[in-house]
Amino acid sequence: SIRDGTAEQRVAYARHVMAGDVTRPFDLRREPAFLARLVEVDGDFIFGLSVDHLAADSLALDTLERDLAEAYVRERNDEPDRL
């Protein structure tokens, strides 16, 4: 469980869960072409996003990563959204 063990063990378990998301193939007939997961470990959050290669290219993923990082910084600094 994510709540058991030492802090290092909890982080390792969260990484293990996220790694499973990355290596799992998508079944596009039954599910979306992406999987988002937010895991809380000791009050900190780890966000993972897996996207099928058919759904986004590297330029789209770079843009998404930049936009998410900017939104995170604005939220942490209690600044208004850009949109």
Side-chain angles (χ1 to χ4, degrees):
S1 164
I2 199 86
R3 299 191 190 286
D4 297 333
T6 66
E8 291 84 14
Q9 289 170 328
R10 290 189 296 274
V11 169
Y13 181 76
R15 288 182 175 158
H16 171 74
V17 169
M18 296 289 189
D21 291 344
V22 172
T23 58
R24 177 178 79 68
F26 288 94
D27 183 352
L28 299 178
R29 293 169 293 178
R30 296 189 183 142
E31 60 189 11
F34 66 92
L35 173 65
R37 185 184 300 269
L38 185 64
V39 177
E40 181 182 3
V41 178
D42 300 334
D44 291 324
F45 293 88
I46 302 169
F47 176 71
L49 179 65
S50 299
V51 181
D52 186 270
H53 71 281
L54 296 175
D57 62 10
S58 62
L59 179 60
L61 292 176
D62 289 345
T63 302
L64 178 61
E65 180 181 6
R66 184 192 69 234
D67 290 350
L68 285 173
E70 288 175 6
Y72 176 78
V73 168
R74 283 193 306 277
E75 180 65 27
R76 293 283 299 192
N77 294 332
D78 201 27
E79 297 172 1
D81 291 333
R82 274 189 313 147
L83 302 177

